[in-house]
Amino acid sequence: MTLEQQILHAFAQRYGAAPTWVVRAPGRVNLIGEHTDYNDGFVLPMAIDRAVWIALRARDDRRVIVHSLDFEQTVGFDLDTLQQADLGWAEYVKGVAWALQEAGYPLTGWEGVTAGDVPIGAGLSSSAAIELAVARAFAAVADLPWDPARMARVGQRAENSWVGVNCGIMDQLISAAGQAGHALLLDCRSLASQAVPLPPGYRFLVLDSAAPRTLAGSAYNQRRAECESAAGKLKTVYPAIVALRDVTPAMLAAHADLLDPVELRRARHVVAEDERVLRCVDALADGAITTVGALMLASHASLRDDYEVSSAELDALVELAMLTPGVIGARMTGAGFGGCAVALVEADAAEAAAEAIITRYRERTGRAGKAYICAASQGAEAHRATHPAPA
Ligand code: GLA
């Protein structure tokens, strides 16, 4: 059974009726543009064909009741008395309800069943997927307008202020706005997006290091602070600077002496990474696939050496990928310190490459590792559940 069939079936079992709506929102993999989103810069992610699904129907009161097939747990809460707790996945549901109401959206209650296949904690944005699926659910039952950028902001607010994770806007925006068959060039300042067709004849492999991301939270916040500090110091000579997005390589070179060595390395990564994203979009448009590969490798080196967010496992995945026939480029993806790498590979070689890389990774590190061949999917969507649930 597909996930959609599973939630339809479980809904019918619980409520003795078919749901009114089915919604889904995908996870993501970022192709290039790492740690640029919170510097108002550019990113190039794609929504993947793994998602969080919810089957639901409206209630005529202000309660929300959700059963998770993955956690085998039911949570219920009242929209007028939302309270933070430590309920794991349910905090994302409540957090989105809170953020939608804070943004002025009038909500109604609903009940539903959820399930997902975005690996949790692997750096593929399972949190953004549940946030945007819940936002889609509220939008469906209350007939709210679906503006992907505004809904992405709601998801980010839930994550920042309710769940307490200080993420940027990339994950929520791609989950909200993704387009099948495309990556999206996202301007994280204006939230404008441009669909970038993926190169025919190639695939993106997601390589999960299966290594714990212990440092991720604290080091992430530290990197953000270092970037803000660097931008603040450069602003003393260039008053128009709001974030590192506004700094060119020439400006940085001319005033490197204003920054301490760590800030200089962080700024060098961000400023160069923004340029790499735009060059990568051009290279994809030109079919210059080896340039795309070279930019991915340059991005990885910069994240490893200047931004210092890679890990031995991620470096090993990239190195092993580049030794594998058919692979054009590879880099770590997401926040770093564990999580996943992404590799661009010739379509015909994709399956063999996935297996070869993971086998060698296991031999080298003793960690499980896992590879997914990902297709670019549509962002958050809702449809009426017209078909009856299977028996
Ligand atoms: C995490 C965050 C994103 C982004 C990336 C790094 O995925 O949630 O906002 O900052 O790290 O590019």
Side-chain angles (χ1 to χ4, degrees):
M1 271 206 278
T2 64
L3 275 183
E4 181 174 9
Q5 288 166 338
Q6 285 175 41
I7 54 170
L8 287 171
H9 183 69
F11 189 99
Q13 277 191 329
R14 289 183 88 78
Y15 297 108
T20 321
W21 293 98
V22 174
V23 300
R24 66 170 275 285
R28 64 96 186 92
V29 61
N30 189 19
L31 306 184
I32 195 161
E34 219 62 79
H35 291 277
T36 45
D37 65 346
Y38 52 81
N39 290 297
D40 280 3
F42 300 102
V43 294
L44 186 66
M46 70 180 209
I48 58 175
D49 46 352
R50 288 173 168 265
V52 170
W53 292 77
I54 310 174
L56 69 147
R57 69 177 178 191
R59 288 176 61 96
D60 48 21
D61 59 12
R62 306 259 304 149
R63 279 193 74 68
V64 174
I65 298 171
V66 195
H67 178 76
S68 163
L69 295 182
D70 303 318
F71 295 95
E72 295 180 353
Q73 194 185 20
T74 306
V75 295
F77 56 87
D78 195 291
L79 288 169
D80 298 315
T81 53
L82 290 171
Q83 271 184 343
Q84 270 160 302
D86 199 7
L87 294 178
W89 67 276
E91 292 308 308
Y92 293 90
V93 184
K94 287 193 293 179
V96 169
W98 169 80
L100 281 166
Q101 297 194 117
E102 285 284 300
Y105 290 103
L107 301 187
T108 53
W110 51 272
E111 55 202 6
V113 174
T114 183
D117 60 0
V118 186
I120 293 174
L124 297 175
S125 294
S126 56
S127 345
I130 187 167
E131 286 155 10
L132 272 297
V134 169
R136 250 313 190 184
F138 277 112
V141 291
D143 201 18
L144 306 176
W146 184 258
D147 175 333
R150 289 189 67 185
M151 290 299 179
R153 279 276 183 239
V154 164
Q156 185 195 20
R157 176 115 201 258
E159 180 127 2
N160 291 168
S161 304
W162 192 275
V163 181
V165 175
N166 201 17
C167 62
I169 191 68
M170 167 170 71
D171 307 342
Q172 288 77 16
L173 192 51
I174 186 65
S175 183
Q179 289 191 27
H182 296 75
L184 291 191
L185 169 63
L186 302 175
D187 178 332
C188 297
R189 171 169 283 166
S190 68
L191 305 192
S193 65
Q194 177 193 322
V196 176
L198 292 176
Y202 295 88
R203 293 278 180 278
F204 284 99
L205 280 185
V206 172
L207 304 163
D208 184 354
S209 70
R213 294 191 300 156
T214 38
L215 260 175
S218 55
Y220 186 88
N221 290 340
Q222 194 189 344
R223 296 298 180 282
R224 285 189 75 142
E226 287 157 356
C227 289
E228 275 162 34
S229 169
K233 288 179 180 176
L234 292 164
K235 191 179 171 68
T236 59
V237 264
Y238 300 104
I241 289 176
V242 173
L244 286 179
R245 148 78 175 271
D246 304 309
V247 177
T248 63
M251 287 157 76
L252 187 60
H255 297 284
D257 55 323
L258 290 176
L259 308 184
D260 71 35
V262 171
E263 288 166 347
L264 181 59
R265 290 204 299 277
R266 306 301 187 242
R268 199 160 56 199
H269 164 73
V270 173
V271 169
E273 185 80 350
D274 271 334
E275 285 211 334
R276 279 189 286 270
V277 174
L278 300 178
R279 284 171 58 202
C280 189
V281 169
D282 288 344
L284 284 165
D286 295 346
I289 208 75
T290 48
T291 305
V292 176
L295 289 165
M296 291 174 79
L297 285 171
S299 169
H300 184 77
S302 174
L303 287 158
R304 182 191 60 210
D305 302 336
D306 276 346
Y307 219 66
E308 297 175 280
V309 292
S310 189
S311 65
E313 288 87 355
L314 291 169
D315 292 345
L317 281 171
V318 169
E319 188 194 321
L320 295 171
M322 294 316 296
L323 294 171
T324 306
V327 175
I328 312 291
R331 56 183 287 278
M332 57 151 279
T333 181
F337 299 104
C340 293
V342 58
L344 174 60
V345 54
E346 287 162 8
D348 295 345
E351 276 193 29
E355 204 182 308
I357 297 166
I358 293 305
T359 305
R360 296 184 70 181
Y361 175 74
R362 287 180 183 150
E363 284 162 12
R364 186 186 289 191
T365 64
R367 293 196 185 274
K370 217 170 173 182
Y372 309 93
I373 302 175
C374 287
S377 86
Q378 196 66 20
E381 51 191 348
H383 65 79
R384 284 194 176 271
T386 43
H387 33 278

